[in-house]
Each structure stands twice: as structure tokens, then as C-alpha cells.
Amino acid sequence: MRKDKILIIGAAGQIGSELTIALRKQYGAAQVFATDIKMAGDDIVQGGPFQILDVMNDKMLIHFIIRHKITQIYHLAAVLSGNAEKLPIQAWNINMDSLLNILEIARMVDHIKKVFWPSSIAVFGPTTQKKNTPQLSVMEPTTVYGIAKLAGERWCEYYHHKYGIDVRSVRYPGLISYKTEAGGGTTDYAVEIYFEALQEEYYECFIKKDTAMPFLFMSDAIDATLKLMETPEHQLSIHSSYNIGGYSHTPEDFYNNIKKHIPSFRIDYNPDFRQAIAASWPDSIDDQLSRRDWGYDPKCKLEEMTKIMLRQIKKQLKQ
Ligand code: SER
């Protein structure tokens, strides 16, 4: 049996920097080719093959994929919601063209068996049911990031139905991690708050204190991604993108939780343009199809997550 060879695009990013390590453990370091447009951390660069690669350059991409006989692609590179609002057309071009490059290559190159591409809760908008948002909902996203993710989902399903491409996707909620910061997202406050609590004992939050959004700790997000990708294709009923929930929290929840560990921690709320984005996204997500089809089962709740975040960031700050 031929061994899988995996290409990760965006290996230096928030998800990529952790998913690369997990995939190398599972498949063997030599089988997992990490790539990014920028340099990745030492553990990624030294822990297996790493190359600078621009997903927008379809010729280089196809050359790389054929030369290394890639069988699975994880395409994680994207401009996130906040940054996308600053340069909407550029963000649309990057987020859409990169996905279309991958889907076209998957259609043309026989040895590509599976593709993973992340969608987001940003596909929903202000007219969507906010609480326990169903898999099938009204979808009128108001951000360019959300519009591109929704269009991307439609393309994924199109390539699946029309060409039989096995492309899989989840709608990630806000992801919380200590290793690599996200950069430019709306849910990023929930990462920044931990760093600032430890460094400054103060955080100025750009989201209102009572705006709820769903969040997931990175270890659960990685587990979910691996689980979905390992599931036999015939068990999957969704070929656009699966809802995955997590735990719904407001900035005040994070603040109160951190304060238990750092009593002197203070917060001010000074909402900026990202407040309108946050307000347009769901409070909580109905993910019963993910649980049924491929056993989605997140574990890390806020209390536990706060302990891990504070412990790990403290360690990093000492280095
Ligand atoms: N977490 C992302 C963002 O805030 C959404 O997928 O942009």
C-alpha cells in the first residue's frame, strides 16, 4: 500500500503550526510537507520537510504536488475576518483563488485523494438563527471573509458532486491557542486576553462584554480535523462544510475566569469595527451531524482551557 504524502499550506499559521506536528506524529515526519508563504517556527522547519510556497502560484503548486506525489492537501492559508475588511477585494482574491487553485489541481492530478479546507462560523450572518445555529440555515454573511467562505463551501460541494473530489471541511468557531497567534480575526480577542493578562495584567477588549460567540480550544480543533479526515467517505453526509460548535462565551466569561488566577487583572471594553462582525455571528452552534457522522466530541471547557493557556504562555514568556 502506498503511504500517504501530505501537503500543508499555511503551516506557519495558527492552525497549521499545530496540525503539522499532529500529522507528522500520525504519518511520520518525512510524509508531511509543510509549506507557507512565510517562514515557520523551528519545530516545523526542523521537524520535517518545509518549503516556502505561495498557494497563489498555481504553476509552482502543481509542480510541487506532482514532484512529491502528494495524496492529501490541507489548505489552511487565508486572510481572516478583521484584516479582510481592510482590503476586501484583495482578501476575496486570495481566499477564493487559492481554494480554486487547489480544487482544480485535485481534479487534474490523480494521486490527490483528499483535500481539507476550513470554513468558519463567519458563513452565517445577522439573519441567521443565533442560538444553536442549525447546519442548514439562512446564510447572509456581511463580511468579505464570510462571503468568501460561503462561496468556498459551494465550490467544495460543486467539485464533490461534479468531479467526485473528496474535499472535507468544518466551520471552525473561534480557535484558542497559545502556540501561534491568529492575527486579524474577530475571535482573536480570546487569545490576546490571555497574553495581556500575563504581561500587563490589563486588557482593552475590542468586543463588548456580553457578546457571545462559540469557541474551541486548539487541541479539540486538531482532533476534530484528524477525525473528519480519517472517516470513511461513505459515512459523510455533508460535502460543503460541517457545523462544529464548542463552548459559547462572552469576553466577560474569559475575564472572570482569568481573574480567578490573576486577581489583579483588569479589563476595559472599547469595541471597534470587529464588534459588528461579532454581533453578526452565531452565539452557539448545533453540531449534531458532526457528532453523528464522524464522532465529533470536543472536551476542553473554559476552566481547563484557562489553566492550560496561562501555564503555557507563562512558560513561553520565560524562554
Ligand atoms: N476566527 C476567525 C476570525 O475571527 C473566523 O473564522 O476571523
Side-chain angles (χ1 to χ4, degrees):
M1 204 181 78
R2 197 187 54 227
K3 272 190 160 178
D4 271 302
K5 285 196 171 183
I6 297 175
L7 168 62
I8 301 174
I9 297 161
Q14 190 195 16
I15 302 171
S17 62
E18 302 210 27
L19 190 60
T20 302
I21 306 288
L23 284 167
R24 282 179 175 163
K25 267 195 201 132
Q26 193 171 329
Y27 287 88
Q31 304 301 114
V32 179
F33 295 78
T35 71
D36 203 298
I37 196 169
K38 60 176 189 278
M39 205 56 194
D42 287 350
D43 55 345
I44 302 284
V45 175
Q46 286 153 21
F50 174 81
Q51 190 172 311
I52 298 285
L53 189 70
D54 181 357
V55 64
M56 301 298 281
N57 187 336
D58 55 340
K59 290 188 183 64
M60 289 288 282
L61 196 60
I62 200 161
H63 183 253
F64 187 95
I65 285 167
I66 289 173
R67 183 154 67 97
H68 295 291
K69 296 202 169 51
I70 297 297
T71 62
Q72 292 188 28
I73 303 174
Y74 289 74
H75 171 29
L76 309 170
V79 182
L80 292 186
S81 60
N83 279 350
E85 290 308 296
K86 295 175 193 158
L87 289 167
I89 300 302
Q90 285 86 340
W92 164 264
N93 288 340
I94 292 170
N95 290 357
M96 282 321 300
D97 290 355
S98 64
L99 173 62
L100 290 173
N101 279 347
I102 299 291
L103 291 174
E104 263 303 278
I105 292 174
R107 182 177 73 80
M108 291 185 295
V109 178
D110 273 355
H111 48 78
I112 298 174
K113 301 295 173 218
K114 271 187 227 175
V115 175
F116 177 82
W117 171 79
S119 185
S120 159
I121 53 165
V123 291
F124 301 114
T127 51
T128 305
Q129 172 186 319
K130 274 209 165 323
K131 294 208 181 344
N132 214 22
T133 302
Q135 174 72 36
L136 295 175
S137 302
V138 173
M139 293 167 110
E140 296 185 318
T142 48
T143 62
V144 70
Y145 177 76
I147 295 170
K149 285 292 185 194
L150 179 54
E153 286 190 8
R154 303 320 307 146
W155 277 114
C156 287
E157 195 177 275
Y158 181 88
Y159 269 75
H160 174 77
H161 287 323
K162 186 138 185 170
Y163 306 117
I165 304 298
D166 185 359
V167 48
R168 305 178 181 198
S169 176
V170 292
R171 294 170 179 155
Y172 286 123
L175 297 180
I176 299 182
S177 63
Y178 53 83
K179 191 177 169 200
T180 310
E181 287 190 63
T186 301
T187 55
D188 292 10
Y189 86 82
V191 175
E192 286 175 14
I193 195 170
Y194 287 102
F195 280 88
E196 297 293 308
L198 281 167
Q199 286 172 298
E200 309 292 334
E201 294 180 6
Y202 173 75
Y203 182 56
E204 189 176 286
C205 187
F206 57 79
I207 299 295
K208 281 189 191 161
K209 69 178 187 181
D210 55 357
T211 301
M213 285 184 279
F215 289 94
L216 194 62
F217 193 48
M218 187 57 84
S219 57
D220 280 330
I222 300 293
D223 277 357
T225 308
L226 297 178
K227 240 184 201 172
L228 172 65
M229 290 301 274
E230 282 159 14
T231 301
E233 197 184 359
H234 66 86
Q235 275 175 236
L236 303 178
S237 61
I238 299 291
H239 300 283
S240 52
S241 188
Y242 276 97
N243 268 13
I244 60 170
Y247 302 98
S248 286
H249 295 296
T250 62
E252 203 171 28
D253 294 338
F254 287 100
Y255 171 67
N256 287 332
N257 215 265
I258 294 171
K259 215 172 148 57
K260 288 183 194 160
H261 301 268
I262 307 174
S264 53
F265 181 38
R266 290 177 306 116
I267 194 164
D268 281 320
Y269 297 95
N270 188 10
D272 67 11
F273 70 100
R274 288 168 285 191
Q275 173 59 32
I277 301 178
S280 78
W281 289 353
D283 292 1
S284 57
I285 299 287
D286 174 351
D287 53 22
Q288 53 178 304
L289 280 181
S290 291
R291 291 175 189 267
R292 185 198 74 186
D293 286 2
W294 49 275
Y296 177 57
D297 186 21
K299 300 212 157 44
C300 194
K301 299 202 172 117
L302 183 58
E303 303 272 331
E304 175 68 9
M305 192 167 70
T306 295
K307 280 187 203 148
I308 300 173
M309 287 294 284
L310 294 176
R311 190 173 61 231
Q312 294 295 341
I313 295 169
K314 221 182 261 173
K315 245 193 233 166
Q316 276 174 26
L317 293 175
K318 276 192 198 137
Q319 279 165 11

